Amino acid sequence: MTTTATVDRSVNGDTGSRRFSILAGRDINRETYVEEWAEAGLTVADSPYDPQPSLRVVDGQVMEMDGKERADFDALDRFIADHALDLAVAEEAMATPSHQMARMLVDINVPQPTIRRLADGCTPAKLCEIVRHMNVLEMMMGLGKMRVRKTPANQAHVTNWRENPALLAADAAEAALRGFAEIETTVRVARAAPLNALAILVGSQTSRGGVLTQCAVEEAFGLRLGIKGLTSYAETLSVYGSERSFVDGDDTPWSKAFLASAYASRGIKVRFTSGTGSEALMGYAEQCSMLYLEARCLLITKGAGSQGVQNGSISCIALPEALPGGVRGVLAENLLASMLGLECASGNDALASHSALRKTAKLMLQMIPGTDFICSGYSAIPKQDNMFGGGNFDAEDFDDWTVIQRDMQVNGGIRPVREEEAIAARRQAAQALQAIYAELEFPPIDDEEVEAAALAHSSEDMPARDMVADLAAADRFLEGTANLSDVVRALHRSGFEQAAANLLEMGRQRVAGDYLQPSAIFGDGFNVISAINDNNDYTGPGTGYRLEGETWDALQRIPQQKSPRDFIDAQVGEPLPNLAEISTAKVGATANEIVVAVGPAYGTSLVKTIGELDHEEVLEALLTGVAEEEFYGRVVRVYHSADCAAIGHAGARLSGSGIAVGLQSRGTTVIQKRGLAPLNNLELFPQSPSLTLEIYQAIGRNAARYAKGLSPLPVGVKVDNGARLRLIVKTALLHRREIDDIQEKAPQELYFRWEPDV
Amino acid sequence: MTDERSEERGNTSQSSNGDYPLYANRNDTLAAASGRPLRDLSLQKTLSEDISSEDYSISAETLRAQAEIARGAGYPQLAQNLERASELTAVPNETLLEMYEMLRPGRCSFEEYQALAQRLRDEFNAAATAGFVEEAAAVYRERGLLRRELE
């Protein structure tokens, strides 16, 4: 529904509600919502067909699991029963009431290892039963404690529609600078994969050594890229929660486990992929809830020996979000992964909503507790360049993200960066790749492309390349003998010594294999951080991960923040030459005078209002208004207070007519009458940024009319809803400046050298 | 799947982590799959010598050491995976890709899997992986995931 249609409807005198019509046009109503249908697997956390927890172990073999006899096990049941469950603890775990385990997850006195020990003995149905007792707040508590790596992190997606290598390198460099621990690319055209993988590898290592990179392509192809040294991790090893879906995915738990071992044998970190909704989407949900099927996926992941999983619905996210409780269900699956000791890259990648409010609300469930990777891929590029199908958060949201981190003192894994730093990192990455392309005789990257990549936002900002030639080069590179050391040499020869050293270090780290351990990433200086040496030891306030020290300093220093001193530059200037102090002010004797009482800094320390009106002109306007009513204006300065009400109140006591205008230096104004309580008044103008000289003149007029005993129409001021939001810091600082000039001194009569033009 | 795991799980002190990270703590003895010591994989050597892919590949021995660390920290399945991986370091790249392809559903007969398991044992000394393949074959037979049954 469009706004135009809305208007038409009103014009046509339709009986529909105007408000509902406007609501129908909102982003939130561009989404799809569907009622639950358990038979089709369209239920998030609780299908009436979900199995009940049970486990019978005879002679060290599982003979019954979740109500099914071993003879009836499908391939997935078999794999889970024989590989995933810790039978030493299973009896105890299954006998522990689920609500008790749910409470343990929330209880700060129960440390992570206690819960993990029991979780290792839980069947899929038991795991589901535990988390069904929990609301989202409780799940967040549990997730913050169960996350395997103490330090949270984030992963970026870097792709572009034109498969432009210089741009890929530049975007990877910027993503590395922004602090992403992992960067994933993929392809529009499959054959581009080797060069895309090379581009983000070189780009990231040029910018910050130790970023792990991958290229999402078909499984066997992906392994080939890893073997060649072009990638250091792989996460698109998809598993599914029903046998038919698994087989349709062209794998079995055994083939996936073999693939995991194959990757590890080449020193490549592995993370499986699962997530609610995939089975329903593939048509084989077997009437089970998404959560139950996901619990099976997670146990297969664990049984296969994958150190981690990306879940949180991933590319299927819109399906659970179409259902009741979908976002809670996604959080529940993140929690289950963490309970099982799996590194969790917790979704927040694919486009999940049109509504910024809804996207952010969902994000908080992972960002606040912290996960191993808040996003399974934050789109560090604009939407049109995202070859994963569009990110829920992308390059345009960088500043929103860093501000939210600063607001909450939460580490969401993205550092704020300055423009010049980003450009420099991008340029250097593109130059490094240019040098490699020249050395390895790939189609050249010219200087114009390098410069475009340094400054680009999207691939539309890039000159065209011959993609056919690039693809041919990619084929030759994959089949040829050139390897990581050739790239290192090419970089070194071209003067990119740090990048060469970083790239080599990636190879050396592969030899050591420390990053094969659960939830491993590299911190600064290639220091490996994983569940082994950065174990999450949260046990309540003051424990676990705390955003403090240097990291907090770095995350709070967004480039947009200014020094407080810079805020009031516009209001500071030379004192008014025509405003002079005469003597202590006395109570006026004439009934036709209006006192204009100004604040301590008015026209001296401060010379303009917050709306940047000259103090001189504001005084002129007020006095002109007074004069129009044939009254005299007296100007006095109040020293003992910077408060608008107090200034007006003091002025009214001195005024012969009993009426005064109180005026703060920032422009806030009040019309006050002697005898009224200080916080009562005739008219108050708190929206100082909106006040104009015409309004000040009208205020002066009205003050005189009150003095005449009339009841004038109050001066109208337009309401600017955004003024407080824009100007609150400035307001506070101007007020503070005025307070600095407070003195224990009676109000002083001022001489304002000016004649009204009336 | 060991009993002692439950005992050790609560122990998060450094001592249970072995020499992790090996890069820092075993820098002198670490070697690549080719046998080249890590200390010889320097920038200077890379610039002056011929460095093969095996020179920056992980060795079977290092994978077993990482498996021990994983087991000690309470990740037995990861440890088993790394042990299978240590066996697979002996398998050439193309063969590795072929083996993975064979394990995908509907690709092989039961006998072909048995032959694969035998080959893993005989040619690559990969007993754990061979056992894993045999287990897969048995389940595939029961669940109709062998080649002829899908056709």
Side-chain angles (χ1 to χ4, degrees), chain A residues 306-324:
Chain A
S306 168
Q307 61 81 35
V309 69
Q310 64 164 340
N311 76 353
S313 204
I314 314 298
S315 51
C316 300
I317 182 67
L319 191 56
E321 288 211 13
L323 286 158

Side-chain angles (χ1 to χ4, degrees), chain A residues 683-694:
Chain A
E683 288 184 54
L684 176 67
F685 305 91
Q687 292 255 354
S688 49
S690 299
L691 300 184
T692 62
L693 292 175
E694 291 69 32

